[in-house]
Amino acid sequence: MRMRFKPYARPELLACDFHVHEPLSMQGKWNQSYARPEQPLYLELGCGKGGFISQLAWQHPDINYLGIDMTDKVLILAKRKLEAAYAAHDQKPDNVKVCTFDIERIANVFSPSDRVGRIYINFCNPWSKNSSKKKHRLTHGRQLLSYRTYLEDGGEIWFKTDDDDLFNDTLQYLPACGYEITWQTRDLHENEPSWNLRTEHEGMFTEQGIKIKALIARKLPDGEGVIRWNKALEKSIDGPFLPEE
C-alpha cells in the first residue's frame, strides 16, 4: 500500500537540525559536517521509517550515522523516531543525520575524500529476477562499484533481505565487484547474533515464516579485488534484459 503524501513533511524536515537540506552540496564534506568529524561514518541506504537507525545511532555516540531515503513522506517518520529515541535516553542527536535522495545516484553526493566505513542495506526492493528492473537493486553490480568510490578499503557492507533470488544474486555481485564475503547466513534468527537489530520488516517477515538472509562483505583494495564487472557478467547473473517499461 502506497504511503499518502504528507504536506507537513518537507517543512518539518527543513526545520530539523540533523536533516541535510542540500545533499549535493555536501560532496567531500560529509565527515566535517558532524560534531566529531574524526569518528567513523556509517550509512544506511534506504532507511525507511527509521526502525533500524533509530535503534542503532544513539547506542554508538562514537560513530557518525547518515540515513538516506528517497521521499520526505517516509523520511519524516525516521526523523521523528530518531528524536524520540535520543530524547528517551537524554541524548542529543549530534552523531546522526538524515537526507532525502535517490540512492541510485548516490555517487553524486559522495567523493573519494568522504571516508565511509560501513554501509547498511536492509530489506531493499528486490526487483524480481524476471524483471528488466534488476539493475535498480541496491546490491547490483553497478551500485556496488559506485559504493567503492567512497567506501574505505576494508570498509563493510551489511546486508539483510527476505528475498532468496536477491540474496543469491548478491552473493555473485559482490565478488565480481571487488568485495570479500566474510560472513553469511540463510537463517539469521536460527542463531541470532547479539548485534542484530530487528526492524519492522524483519519482524513482519519472520511472523510469516520467511527466513531472513544476511551477509557481511569487506571491500578489497583495488590491487586485490579485481573489478571485472561487465555486460557479459551482468547478463550471466541477471539473465537477458527485458525491454524497459
Side-chain angles (χ1 to χ4, degrees):
M1 183 175 65
R2 286 190 176 183
M3 188 175 293
R4 292 181 179 179
F5 172 69
K6 297 180 175 64
Y8 56 82
R10 192 62 182 174
E12 186 174 328
L13 287 170
L14 290 175
C16 174
D17 290 340
F18 59 86
H19 176 262
V20 180
H21 308 330
E22 298 180 3
L24 286 171
S25 69
M26 296 298 295
Q27 191 175 53
K29 306 173 184 176
W30 284 104
N31 301 88
Q32 290 70 35
S33 69
Y34 289 83
R36 295 174 292 281
E38 72 282 358
Q39 296 185 166
L41 175 59
Y42 290 2
L43 310 184
E44 185 185 6
L45 302 183
C47 65
K49 300 177 183 178
F52 180 77
I53 198 169
S54 64
Q55 296 183 70
L56 184 67
W58 69 265
Q59 296 186 53
H60 300 280
D62 57 332
I63 297 172
N64 296 327
Y65 292 91
L66 174 62
I68 304 175
D69 210 276
M70 285 188 64
T71 63
D72 291 345
K73 63 185 178 182
V74 173
L75 199 66
I76 188 63
L77 301 177
K79 175 257 187 188
R80 292 180 176 182
K81 281 188 177 180
L82 281 163
E83 287 177 331
Y86 277 85
H89 296 89
D90 295 319
Q91 295 182 20
K92 181 180 179 181
D94 61 358
N95 70 319
V96 66
K97 296 182 185 294
V98 295
C99 77
T100 308
F101 201 78
D102 181 355
I103 296 169
E104 288 189 52
R105 294 168 176 79
I106 195 73
N108 293 326
V109 298
F110 285 93
S111 76
S113 62
D114 292 305
R115 306 182 312 278
V116 175
R118 184 177 297 174
I119 297 174
Y120 294 101
I121 303 174
N122 297 315
F123 302 99
C124 62
N125 190 329
W127 296 108
S128 168
K129 194 172 180 65
N130 297 320
S131 167
S132 63
K133 309 289 187 180
K134 293 183 291 294
K135 63 184 179 182
H136 298 300
R137 292 168 161 178
L138 295 188
T139 60
H140 192 274
R142 302 181 191 194
Q143 289 299 109
L144 293 174
L145 291 181
S146 171
Y147 306 152
R148 285 186 63 88
T149 61
Y150 53 85
L151 185 64
E152 294 180 319
D153 287 348
E156 296 175 327
I157 294 177
W158 290 39
F159 173 61
K160 291 196 287 189
T161 183
D162 61 298
D163 190 271
D164 290 304
D165 285 339
L166 176 59
F167 189 72
N168 290 336
D169 288 350
T170 300
L171 292 176
Q172 298 182 70
Y173 295 148
L174 284 161
C177 295
Y179 296 84
E180 176 189 15
I181 299 170
T182 59
W183 177 85
Q184 64 173 289
T185 179
R186 292 182 180 273
D187 189 354
L188 180 61
H189 298 162
E190 182 179 20
N191 293 295
E192 188 169 3
S194 59
W195 45 256
N196 186 50
L197 297 175
R198 294 196 183 194
T199 65
E200 180 181 353
H201 280 93
E202 190 167 340
M204 178 184 67
F205 293 132
T206 300
E207 288 179 1
Q208 296 173 4
I210 300 173
K211 293 182 178 180
I212 306 302
K213 278 65 69 175
L215 62 79
I216 298 173
R218 179 177 69 92
K219 177 195 168 185
L220 298 172
D222 289 342
E224 296 181 31
V226 178
I227 308 304
R228 56 183 189 276
W229 185 263
N230 53 46
K231 289 184 178 180
L233 178 61
E234 185 171 287
K235 184 176 180 180
S236 71
I237 295 176
D238 287 337
F241 282 145
L242 301 174
E244 293 282 355
E245 295 178 358

